[in-house]
Amino acid sequence: MIGQLAVFGLAAAAGVAAAGAGGWRAAVGSTADYDRWAAGLRAWRAPPAEVAELVRLAALAPNGHNTQPWRFRVGDGRIEILPDLARRTPVVDPDDHHLWTSLGAAAETLAVAGVALGRPGEVEAEGEGIAYVHGAGAARPHPLAAAIGRRQTTRADYDCRPLAAEDAAALAAAAALPGVRIVLVTEPAAMGRLRDLVVAGNDVQMGDAAFMAELAAWIRFNPRTAMATGDGLYAGASGNPSIPTWLGRSILPRIMTPASEAARFARQMQTSAGCAVVFAEEAGPRGWIQVGRACQRFALAATTRDIRMSFVNQPVEVAALRPELAALAGEPGQRPDLLIRFGFGPLLPFSPRRPVADVLA
Ligand SMILES: Cc1cc2nc3c(=O)[nH]c(=O)nc-3n(C[C@H](O)[C@H](O)[C@H](O)COP(=O)(O)O)c2cc1C
């Protein structure tokens, strides 16, 4: 970490010298402006609400690399969620597993927000996508609704505090959906083995030039770029300082090394209270949609309790590590779909989103 910060510091000094302080500020933008913008994206607006309001909330769902690989088609009494294949991440997600999981998370957000905003309905998997089929009714409180705008993927070190048994049970219960199995791991020796798997997966991915190129293409190094694109992995949301894009691209191999990332993930795992390993009964889009729905329910339930969560999917994405992860979770022979760590820790800046108009089909 110190090494990483030192490289950042040197790069920042070199960058300011090259661009001048004014040029630097113009290149990166303002974190205060960004935080205001990100808060505005997430504000809860009281009902009655237009259907576009449901779409805005659904698009706050977690999604791989924050590519937001969805389009929403609003019809009479239904909202279809369609895959946006231009926003696939073919290297990390060659079979579109994460894409369908992301769409499932958005669909579940519609179902939660629909109750709270007077459009209660059902999620139905369809051939080309998902349909949220809803009626019009009185807005009713939903225990997870207020968390939609407060949820985030928190890629920070946590504080090692364990979860109370009733909190763990509540998260598992919130995520219990047909076709999905969630295994919670909290025992220290098993967590140690999970940490080693995450680090092993990280080593494989960092040695893969195509994986690193795809990841780099989705990094937004500063508030200005994150607000302009409305997508991608904003550096601040991973606890990193803002730097101009040209500088970020050139120093990325020095600030993100296999050793620095291995140490970072080991620390993140060691400070977490536990992990959830999620399995779908059905391998394919229908099963992965269910996984996404369960994942979002887990994340929203965690948020209501001020419990942080973050994905550590390296042993899911590196196919050779899946058997060991499944065995560790007591499901030998199954394909694991998600690995999520949870615990207590700070909030980080929120991630960007595109305007609603850009995600309407
Ligand atoms: C299927 C899926 C897989 C993901 N995998 C990872 C992962 O391995 N590592 C990670 O840091 N974030 C992962 N994420 C989190 C996304 O990067 C995150 O949801 C996105 O950047 C938006 O940020 P937010 O969740 O804070 O709104 C994943 C999300 C989904 C839905």
Side-chain angles (χ1 to χ4, degrees):
M1 188 62 183
I2 289 169
Q4 212 181 19
L5 284 179
V7 175
F8 262 119
L10 285 174
V16 171
W24 175 275
R25 269 196 303 275
V28 301
S30 145
T31 52
D33 286 351
Y34 177 86
D35 290 342
R36 265 192 300 278
W37 175 79
L41 295 172
R42 291 170 168 78
W44 182 261
R45 297 173 197 145
E50 299 299 319
V51 174
E53 180 64 359
L54 286 182
V55 173
R56 176 180 73 91
L57 294 170
L60 295 176
N63 64 96
H65 281 15
N66 198 21
T67 72
Q68 303 158 38
W70 44 52
R71 298 187 62 79
F72 297 83
R73 185 186 290 149
V74 176
D76 191 19
R78 58 193 275 127
I79 302 173
E80 289 165 19
I81 311 173
L82 309 167
D84 183 346
L85 298 178
R87 290 178 168 268
R88 298 177 66 232
T89 46
V91 180
V92 71
D93 189 29
D95 57 6
D96 292 328
H97 169 283
H98 286 1
L99 180 147
W100 286 106
T101 303
S102 304
L103 266 56
E108 187 60 25
T109 316
L110 280 182
V112 170
V115 170
L117 295 178
R119 311 260 179 188
E122 298 292 331
V123 172
E124 295 170 8
E126 292 191 339
E128 295 294 297
I130 309 174
Y132 176 63
V133 181
H134 65 83
R140 283 191 293 117
H142 189 296
L144 300 179
I148 293 173
R150 293 176 34 227
R151 182 210 59 80
Q152 63 167 226
T153 299
T154 310
R155 298 185 190 85
D157 294 352
Y158 298 161
D159 67 7
C160 302
R161 255 190 302 156
L163 239 61
E166 69 169 3
D167 278 338
L171 299 194
L177 283 184
V180 179
R181 177 154 163 65
I182 296 210
V183 179
L184 297 189
V185 177
T186 54
E187 199 266 316
M191 280 296 287
R193 289 169 63 201
L194 283 181
R195 174 204 57 212
D196 294 346
L197 273 184
V198 169
V199 169
N202 172 69
D203 286 347
V204 172
Q205 290 181 322
M206 293 212 62
D208 177 349
F211 172 89
M212 293 305 290
E214 183 178 78
L215 178 67
W218 286 102
I219 295 179
R220 308 291 177 246
F221 288 96
N222 52 69
R224 184 169 180 265
T225 319
M227 286 190 282
T229 62
D231 62 13
L233 300 163
Y234 170 49
S238 295
N240 291 318
S242 297
I243 53 178
T245 302
W246 61 267
L247 187 56
R249 296 227 183 285
S250 75
I251 65 168
L252 194 63
R254 271 172 289 154
I255 54 180
M256 224 177 136
T257 64
S260 75
E261 292 304 283
R264 187 163 72 91
F265 285 117
R267 239 183 11 252
Q268 290 185 354
M269 292 295 286
Q270 274 151 1
T271 58
S272 296
C275 278
V277 195
V278 187
F279 297 87
E281 260 168 31
E282 190 179 326
R286 293 174 77 92
W288 301 334
I289 289 167
Q290 284 299 95
V291 165
R293 296 180 65 190
C295 158
Q296 176 66 332
R297 294 184 63 83
F298 184 94
L300 294 176
T303 304
T304 60
R305 289 171 170 72
D306 271 336
I307 297 165
R308 309 282 178 250
M309 55 81 68
S310 174
F311 299 80
V312 272
N313 277 325
Q314 291 88 341
V316 168
E317 292 159 355
V318 176
L321 297 175
R322 288 178 195 157
E324 201 175 333
L325 175 58
L328 219 155
E331 297 280 328
Q334 299 299 305
R335 171 179 171 162
D337 289 286
L338 293 175
L339 178 58
I340 297 169
R341 70 186 178 99
F342 54 81
F344 297 95
L347 273 177
L348 291 183
F350 284 89
S351 62
R353 287 297 185 279
R354 290 178 291 151
V356 172
D358 288 13
V359 297
L360 288 173

